[in-house]
Amino acid sequence: MPSRVRVWLNRTYAENVFFMDQLRRNPSDRAVEIHATHGDADSPVLAAADTADLEPEGLSPAAYVEYALDQCARRGIDVFVPRLHQRAIVAHRVDFRAVGTALLAPTREAVAVFEDKATAYEAVRSVGVPVPPWWRVRTADELVAAVEELEAAGHRACFKPAAGAGGVGFRVITRAPFSLLHLSGFPGPYVQLDLVVEALRQAEEPVDWLVMPRLEQPEVSVDCLTGPDNRLRLAVGRTKNGRRRGFTLHEQWLEPARLIAEGFGLHHLSNIQFRMLGDRPVLMDVNTRPAGGLHQLSLCGVNAPWAAVQLALGEDPGVIEPPFLGQDYTVVSGPRPLRAVSLPQQRVEEAEVLLPAVPAPAAAVTTEAGAAAIAPA
């Protein structure tokens, strides 16, 4: 009988409760136990896990690697899916292998390239993948110059941090004066240019932003599974156009994703996002981790998390072709259980004891689930 597989997810997104569900419902009928750690005791991933710990705060990347190695050794982790401090962790892949843990993460070089969006755009452009025009700005004068050049070309300017994830810090520039119109309805991403310029002039330190055109829909996120031999095992595009979601295998999206995943060592799971600039798709972002919406591929009959774990364990699943493409769908919110009592901050001696999950049906958290959340893996 195949042995149990123990998987650890560190400080991951709430949506990865569905990643965990799919691991347990794997087509190999393999026993899977999941360990989760987080800085928020009320994260739903802690309640969804078999064992859980609160992560210590304030650790440097180097200290976090030591913490992670200790977790893997004590918890008997077979596969570690790192999100927090991914770059520092993958630099110690050999050390994790020495304690019996495989990292479900790209190469050290790939993480370094895609950690910085400006470096990423330069790199992918060199292999023929189209990118939008962009300017790296650090001062108010540089911002104004970039915005004026974009507007002269007929574009609406936006900016985002050169390093970041999840759309944090994304804003769209407007020249419309601030008025009551900006205070009606829900808050949006639009920000007045004069307010941004004034904030930059008053700032004590320079920013590090990318300024680029506001790209149009559809947005296509290509979920990729790539082996350590740099060969793609799976690539499916998830389309987003307003509320409507769907799937695509069109080569205009898959071919540039393949060039990036195979050409830059994006081993295991990655997510490569495109949007439209005029009538052509251009790269928007590259995530060197599983996307929060990866579980939605279950609507195409694919269990990508399990295939990735197999690959990390050296059990090559081969090339995976979706048996069908699911119908268009949307996503809605749904409840997930929390632990009955927030996990206490753990002392060293307490950390030696495994903490079983104790879900509390009465407490719930809202996550973006969608139809895919209840679809079979």
Side-chain angles (χ1 to χ4, degrees):
M1 183 176 180
S3 61
R4 172 201 68 175
V5 179
R6 190 135 169 85
V7 181
W8 173 27
L9 287 80
N10 76 331
R11 204 171 295 212
T12 193
Y13 301 109
E15 285 76 13
N16 273 338
V17 293
F18 307 124
F19 185 104
M20 298 158 75
D21 290 343
Q22 286 192 284
L23 289 182
R24 293 189 176 104
R25 298 198 306 266
N26 67 81
S28 303
D29 199 26
R30 188 94 169 260
V32 175
E33 289 187 5
I34 299 172
H35 181 56
T37 59
H38 208 285
D40 178 5
D42 289 330
S43 168
V45 300
L46 297 181
D50 297 290
T51 60
D53 277 333
L54 273 179
E55 292 190 358
E57 296 293 343
L59 294 183
S60 67
Y64 191 90
V65 169
E66 293 302 316
Y67 162 79
L69 285 166
D70 179 68
Q71 284 278 314
C72 289
R74 290 193 301 105
R75 300 283 185 173
I77 302 300
D78 299 300
V79 178
F80 177 20
V81 188
R83 189 198 68 81
L84 183 66
H85 293 311
Q86 187 188 63
R87 185 176 182 179
I89 288 165
V90 297
H92 290 268
R93 193 180 299 270
V94 172
D95 297 326
F96 283 95
R97 189 180 298 124
V99 298
T101 301
L103 296 183
L104 201 157
T107 65
R108 179 182 186 179
E109 294 77 15
V111 174
V113 167
F114 295 107
E115 199 170 50
D116 180 278
K117 292 178 173 59
T119 303
Y121 280 173
E122 288 283 9
V124 302
R125 184 166 59 183
S126 71
V127 298
V129 175
V131 299
W134 54 272
W135 289 259
R136 190 167 201 158
V137 306
R138 293 183 171 85
T139 67
D141 290 341
E142 290 176 347
L143 173 69
V144 171
V147 170
E148 289 178 346
E149 193 162 346
L150 281 167
E151 290 177 342
H155 299 298
R156 169 165 278 175
C158 64
F159 65 87
K160 57 186 177 182
V168 175
F170 172 79
R171 298 292 186 273
V172 181
I173 292 289
T174 178
R175 291 182 182 268
F178 186 78
S179 70
L180 287 177
L181 288 175
H182 296 98
L183 299 178
S184 61
F186 293 102
Y190 292 91
V191 61
Q192 287 68 34
L193 177 60
D194 56 342
L195 296 180
V196 180
V197 169
E198 181 63 22
L200 286 174
R201 296 200 192 285
Q202 293 183 8
E204 296 181 0
E205 296 181 358
V207 295
D208 188 9
W209 291 344
L210 249 58
V211 178
M212 56 192 291
R214 174 73 185 271
L215 302 175
E216 300 302 323
Q217 293 184 329
E219 178 180 322
V220 178
S221 295
V222 182
D223 293 309
C224 297
L225 176 63
T226 310
D229 56 0
N230 291 330
R231 286 195 305 110
L232 202 67
R233 303 302 198 277
L234 169 71
V236 180
R238 289 183 288 112
T239 65
K240 303 177 186 178
N241 202 336
R243 186 186 293 272
R244 182 170 291 271
R245 310 290 180 94
F247 303 99
T248 180
L249 294 176
H250 198 291
E251 282 298 314
Q252 72 171 340
W253 312 107
L254 267 55
E255 178 56 26
R258 184 179 296 110
L259 283 172
I260 294 170
E262 294 186 340
F264 291 96
L266 283 174
H267 299 168
H268 304 293
L269 289 169
S270 61
N271 178 258
I272 303 171
Q273 301 170 355
F274 302 89
R275 273 196 174 225
M276 301 298 293
L277 180 63
D279 59 356
R280 66 170 185 158
V282 295
L283 180 70
M284 185 171 68
D285 207 356
V286 175
N287 294 311
T288 61
R289 53 169 175 77
L294 179 68
H295 64 280
Q296 293 163 10
L297 295 190
S298 64
L299 292 176
C300 300
V302 172
N303 188 325
W306 178 246
V309 166
Q310 286 183 296
L311 200 56
L313 292 171
E315 304 166 6
D316 196 334
V319 175
I320 301 170
E321 297 286 349
F324 53 85
L325 292 183
Q327 69 180 48
D328 286 0
Y329 63 102
T330 189
V331 294
V332 295
S333 297
R336 293 289 297 201
L338 297 180
R339 286 180 170 252
V341 179
S342 294
L343 286 169
Q345 187 61 43
Q346 307 205 20
R347 299 192 300 271
V348 174
E349 62 269 26
E350 291 174 335
E352 299 295 328
V353 181
L354 296 181
L355 298 176
V358 185
V365 65
T366 298
T367 58
E368 187 183 56
I374 59 173

